[in-house]
Amino acid sequence: MLRGRSLSVTSLSGLPRWEVEELPVEELLLFEVAWEVTNKVGGIYTVIQTKAKTTADEWGDNYFLIGPYFEHNMKTQVEQCEPVNDAVRRAVDAMNKHGCQVHFGRWLIEGSPYVVLFDIGFSAWNLDRWKGDLWEACSVGIPYHDREANDMLIFGSLTAWFLKEVTDHADDKHVVAQFHEWQAGIGLILSRARKLPIATIFTTHATLLGRYLCAANIDFYNHLDKFNIDKEAGERQIYHRYCMERASVHCAHVFTTVSEITAIEAEHMLKRKPDVVTPNGLNVKKFSAVHEFQNLHAMYKARIQDFVRGHFYGHLDFDLEKTLFLFIAGRYEFSNKGADIFLESLSRLNFLLRMHKSDVTVVVFFIMPAKTNNFNVETLKGQAVRKQLWDIAHSVKEKFGKKLYDALLRGEIPDMNNILDRDDLTIMKRAIFSTQRQSLPPVTTHNMIDDSTDPILSTIRRIGLFNNRTDRVKVILHPEFLSSTSPLLPMDYEEFVRGCHLGVFPSYYEPWGYTPAECTVMGIPSVTTNLSGFGCFMQEHVADPTAYGIYIVDRRFRSPDDSCNQLTQFLYGFCKQSRRQRIIQRNRTERLSDLLDWRYLGRYYQHARHLTLSRAFPDKFHVELTSPPTTEGFKYPRPSSVPPSPSGSQASSPQSSDVEDEVEDERYDEEKEAERDRLNIKSPFALSHVPRGKKKLHGEYKN
């Protein structure tokens, strides 16, 4: 057995504890295979890109990423170089000599990992032959009209070929290959069918059929064990893709998924219980100044306020200092992303704020890309009016300042009635008249192509949130991703998130959930659900998530109406917080970022590699399963200081008094609380091995 330093890992909630030895990475080669290496399509790109630095630091020059070649991506993201590793160099040369185009270089991201990129189109002439190989390996046929599946077959065949060449020249080094999603799965299937000496891991970030079923508004979690899987896949004309995914799962030495909720789903959809749950992380960058993220919040909030001033010109009868900015962002999946329940809860929140005569205003942004013609003319006009008023105010200020300066030089106190002449007053009156508008502020910033059938706009019409003066909740649909070059809202997504007060993501189907995780890392509270991987992860690791700014809506065991009421109460409680309470909560939220750092979550992946090596090469590596621990495991404690949560620390009215703030000052010791959290995160924490034989509950309602 290869010897290394002993590593003891304890799991949470009484789950098994694994005794493993640290891997001698100098005697191993690690390959990660994914269609999204250097090729941004969805969330897997973020997973691989952010994890690369941690993995590269651990594995050094023995870590390689395998993906597809696209000329534009190669020119802008990859620096070509020659392979240092002899086995990889000989594999690249061999494939290039046999009519392939294999590109090698360093991906220009943090960690600068090596990448091996295959030109799919250049090898397409092999498609028919490789279809035969796949049929012989697992009896799965691919229709000629499914271009995406055909591309995945070419990619997988090239991957298996490359790994064969590497293992032929790897000498005494053992090869570990991790395949992400069904798009990379064919490489795993062919490698196992050809009995290549490699240890394999298959990771699903969301099951293929699960996405389709949830998108069809089917009562998914309540009927997980009742679906006729083959029939459902066949009706959606994805049976061949489903077979590729399922074959990949069952061929792998180790099967992993990104969350406990997806592990339950995978067990029913793919008929195999995941061996390890590997949560997704982020690269967390700490500021040298402890409260720098609070300063960034104030700076970017001011820029959002400027946009709001223009968008609501003529109707700006609310105090921007008492206005909260909420947002939802992501793919335009109306039900899956929870936009339906969010809009309904906003209608109820609007009623509560008006009934209690609150002076708090809520402006909600929907950042979800949809088909548009161009910018809304009324929205562009609003920003132009705002800029014009700003210019007029500055010119009058300059004139006023010069007269005041001259008077003071003469030793006089100027007559304030004469310091502005008639022309100045005329200019200001004309500016005021220019802000008058006959229409309400628009609910969308763009001209929508399918305005009449758009789900968000149709729901807004039904619930009547038209940005009236009496509405305390205002809605803005921004149907394209944010950009710093936009003439409307010139901000990048990260800047926008930092400027908001709360991110709301009440998803019904969310295997992980990077959007609330990104909010947490930036110190912005967020709403998630117990059907998202992120929400389940936080419930497991934080005793009182709400106190740390993580509001978890129960969409699994409550009816839709009850879940909507719970979300409404979360939002109303947030509106009732004082400014100081929001600052305290943001401090706590930002401290949770350590939980999401790849430096900690990378241990889950490390554990999966240990396990696959022990199964693929049992004579060289082993993992010993010892008795379960007696303790509950690592968990952030509930803060002992005020305010533990908005509802528990506030009076019934939305306003808070100065006396309340003084009491909070006495009872809240931030340094003491932060130090305790820092000590907690240093505790060894779990690698979540899914226990066998433990019965899982399913939801009671489609929500």
Side-chain angles (χ1 to χ4, degrees):
M1 185 186 72
L2 294 174
R3 296 189 175 276
R5 193 153 49 92
S6 177
L7 175 66
S8 175
V9 184
T10 306
S11 65
L12 293 177
S13 306
L15 302 186
R17 183 176 65 187
W18 294 90
E19 292 286 351
V20 298
E21 293 193 350
E22 285 192 352
L23 294 176
V25 294
E26 67 280 354
E27 300 177 32
L28 300 167
L29 295 176
L30 173 62
F31 295 89
E32 274 197 78
V33 189
W35 185 253
E36 297 195 30
V37 170
T38 76
N39 174 40
K40 186 168 186 176
V41 178
I44 300 172
Y45 177 91
T46 306
V47 175
I48 294 169
Q49 182 197 40
T50 56
K51 185 168 65 66
K53 185 180 186 307
T54 304
T55 313
D57 288 346
E58 180 186 354
W59 287 77
D61 289 343
N62 289 351
Y63 173 53
F64 305 87
L65 292 164
I66 298 176
Y69 167 82
F70 294 100
E71 184 178 6
H72 174 72
N73 294 340
M74 185 76 183
K75 286 181 177 179
T76 57
Q77 299 184 50
V78 180
E79 178 186 20
Q80 284 193 290
C81 63
E82 289 298 317
V84 175
N85 183 278
D86 183 63
V88 173
R89 179 181 55 78
R90 293 169 72 175
V92 170
D93 291 343
M95 292 183 69
N96 284 332
K97 286 177 183 177
H98 286 84
C100 301
Q101 271 199 2
V102 183
H103 302 264
F104 187 86
R106 283 192 180 274
W107 192 3
L108 300 179
I109 58 174
E110 284 192 272
S112 301
Y114 289 124
V115 290
V116 180
L117 305 177
F118 301 129
D119 191 325
I120 306 301
F122 199 81
S123 299
W125 59 277
N126 290 299
L127 181 60
D128 289 338
R129 177 165 63 88
W130 285 341
K131 280 188 177 183
D133 292 345
L134 181 66
W135 179 262
E136 291 177 6
C138 61
S139 300
V140 175
I142 299 177
Y144 73 92
H145 57 77
D146 189 345
R147 181 170 178 176
E148 184 181 5
N150 287 326
D151 285 348
M152 301 313 153
L153 174 59
I154 298 170
F155 177 55
S157 300
L158 289 169
T159 301
W161 184 358
F162 176 78
L163 292 174
K164 169 71 165 61
E165 295 290 341
V166 169
T167 54
D168 285 348
H169 303 102
D171 298 328
D172 295 330
K173 289 193 174 182
H174 294 82
V175 175
V176 181
Q178 180 167 4
F179 300 81
H180 293 267
E181 282 296 314
W182 72 272
Q183 291 96 330
I186 291 179
L188 189 156
I189 296 168
L190 295 174
S191 297
R192 294 284 281 152
R194 295 166 186 172
K195 295 182 170 54
L196 299 187
I198 62 175
T200 56
I201 305 170
F202 183 77
T203 300
T204 182
H205 298 257
T207 68
L208 189 63
L209 192 54
R211 280 197 184 279
Y212 275 85
L213 290 171
C214 285
N217 264 344
I218 286 178
D219 187 357
F220 184 62
Y221 291 99
N222 195 39
H223 292 89
L224 272 176
D225 53 352
K226 298 180 178 65
F227 288 117
N228 183 332
I229 304 298
D230 293 332
K231 176 176 175 289
E232 297 289 352
E235 287 179 350
R236 287 160 178 78
Q237 299 184 1
I238 57 165
Y239 188 69
H240 56 289
R241 296 188 184 192
Y242 167 72
C243 289
M244 290 156 55
E245 180 183 39
R246 185 164 168 179
S248 303
V249 167
H250 288 270
C251 284
H253 291 103
V254 168
F255 172 41
T256 75
T257 188
V258 297
S259 65
E260 295 286 354
I261 195 72
T262 312
I264 300 168
E265 173 190 341
E267 183 181 357
H268 289 89
M269 296 289 108
L270 301 173
K271 307 304 179 185
R272 179 178 176 181
K273 182 175 288 189
D275 300 290
V276 183
V277 171
T278 53
N280 293 332
L282 289 162
N283 279 335
V284 178
K285 296 178 182 176
K286 293 289 188 180
F287 295 105
S288 53
V290 177
H291 294 302
E292 179 61 21
F293 77 96
Q294 296 277 17
N295 298 332
L296 291 174
H297 167 71
M299 180 172 70
Y300 293 126
K301 181 180 73 173
R303 289 170 60 177
I304 297 175
Q305 287 174 336
D306 278 343
F307 169 80
V308 169
R309 288 186 179 100
H311 192 82
F312 290 94
Y313 83 91
H315 287 254
L316 201 65
D317 52 356
F318 51 91
D319 186 352
L320 281 175
E321 292 304 316
K322 294 181 180 178
T323 299
L324 302 179
F325 299 130
L326 279 57
F327 79 99
I328 182 173
R331 288 189 302 273
Y332 200 146
E333 297 177 9
F334 184 66
S335 296
N336 279 0
K337 296 298 181 184
D340 51 354
I341 189 176
F342 186 29
L343 279 165
E344 184 61 42
S345 68
L346 289 177
S347 175
R348 300 179 187 188
L349 175 66
N350 187 46
F351 172 78
L352 286 175
L353 293 175
R354 291 171 63 178
M355 183 179 70
H356 290 284
K357 295 181 170 52
S358 171
D359 60 356
V360 173
T361 303
V362 178
V363 176
V364 184
F365 293 87
F366 286 76
I367 313 295
M368 306 179 91
K371 293 181 180 178
T372 63
N373 283 325
N374 211 325
F375 294 112
N376 185 309
V377 173
E378 188 65 21
T379 306
L380 287 171
K381 180 184 175 183
Q383 299 308 312
V385 168
R386 178 192 64 80
K387 188 176 185 305
Q388 181 188 34
L389 290 177
W390 178 258
D391 292 340
I392 290 172
H394 268 263
S395 65
V396 172
K397 183 182 74 172
E398 289 289 327
K399 200 170 179 181
F400 178 94
K402 188 174 184 304
K403 289 182 179 180
L404 177 62
Y405 176 64
D406 289 340
L408 293 176
L409 283 176
R410 294 193 300 269
E412 301 172 358
I413 299 295
D415 184 354
M416 301 306 292
N417 293 321
N418 297 326
I419 203 164
L420 292 176
D421 56 32
R422 178 175 292 181
D423 289 342
D424 295 328
L425 294 174
T426 301
I427 290 172
M428 288 191 287
K429 287 177 182 178
R430 287 179 61 184
I432 292 172
F433 290 154
S434 72
T435 64
Q436 296 178 357
R437 71 197 305 177
Q438 302 304 316
S439 60
L440 294 172
V443 295
T444 178
T445 58
H446 292 61
N447 294 322
M448 305 287 287
I449 290 179
D450 298 320
D451 183 291
S452 60
T453 59
D454 181 80
I456 291 178
L457 294 181
S458 297
T459 306
I460 288 174
R461 294 185 191 102
R462 179 177 61 80
I463 62 180
L465 281 181
F466 296 121
N467 295 338
N468 284 300
R469 289 182 183 274
T470 55
D471 287 332
R472 298 271 51 85
V473 175
K474 319 285 187 180
V475 178
I476 301 173
L477 170 60
H478 189 279
E480 70 174 18
F481 287 127
L482 297 167
S483 169
S484 58
T485 59
S486 169
L488 278 184
L489 188 55
M491 300 178 74
D492 289 329
Y493 178 71
E494 180 180 338
E495 297 171 344
F496 176 79
V497 172
R498 288 190 183 277
C500 287
H501 295 91
L502 182 71
V504 185
F505 314 102
S507 305
Y508 181 74
Y509 186 78
E510 193 73 80
W512 175 247
Y514 258 121
T515 41
E518 288 167 338
C519 286
T520 303
V521 168
M522 295 183 219
I524 302 300
S526 62
V527 176
T528 183
T529 73
N530 59 354
L531 288 180
S532 77
F534 173 81
C536 294
F537 181 81
M538 284 300 173
Q539 276 185 322
E540 186 177 9
H541 288 80
V542 183
D544 183 6
T546 302
Y548 283 90
I550 309 295
Y551 300 88
I552 302 174
V553 177
D554 184 357
R555 296 202 64 180
R556 191 173 176 196
F557 302 112
R558 292 193 183 200
S559 68
D561 189 59
D562 286 345
S563 296
C564 188
N565 284 333
Q566 185 185 23
L567 176 56
T568 305
Q569 288 304 316
F570 282 154
L571 298 179
Y572 183 58
F574 189 82
C575 292
K576 286 161 62 177
Q577 286 182 316
S578 67
R579 181 173 179 272
R580 172 167 174 76
Q581 285 177 312
R582 292 197 301 272
I583 291 172
I584 292 172
Q585 192 176 57
R586 282 198 296 272
N587 286 335
R588 289 176 178 167
T589 303
E590 196 272 341
R591 287 203 298 274
L592 289 183
S593 61
D594 284 335
L595 269 179
L596 303 171
D597 197 329
W598 275 121
R599 288 176 297 171
Y600 297 96
L601 296 184
R603 303 180 193 185
Y604 292 82
Y605 278 82
Q606 185 186 40
H607 175 54
R609 292 170 198 138
H610 279 286
L611 192 57
T612 192
L613 281 167
S614 71
R615 292 179 179 177
F617 310 109
D619 57 327
K620 296 284 186 180
F621 305 89
H622 79 275
V623 177
E624 297 176 3
L625 184 62
T626 64
S627 58
T630 55
T631 59
E632 171 112 5
F634 167 75
K635 212 169 194 182
Y636 265 77
R638 186 178 188 275
S640 57
S641 56
V642 177
S645 65
S647 56
S649 60
Q650 276 291 93
S652 58
S653 65
Q655 294 78 26
S656 63
S657 67
D658 294 337
V659 176
E660 288 175 324
D661 284 349
E662 287 173 9
V663 172
E664 289 166 17
D665 271 328
E666 294 173 4
R667 298 178 60 185
Y668 174 66
D669 188 337
E670 182 188 339
E671 286 303 317
K672 184 177 179 181
E673 193 177 286
E675 181 58 29
R676 187 178 68 235
D677 285 345
R678 280 192 290 270
L679 291 173
N680 277 324
I681 193 62
K682 291 177 183 176
S683 306
F685 74 78
L687 298 179
S688 185
H689 177 272
V690 178
R692 302 203 178 267
K694 183 177 179 181
K695 183 173 178 60
K696 300 285 187 179
L697 298 173
H698 307 307
E700 297 175 354
Y701 300 94
K702 162 63 182 169
N703 194 329

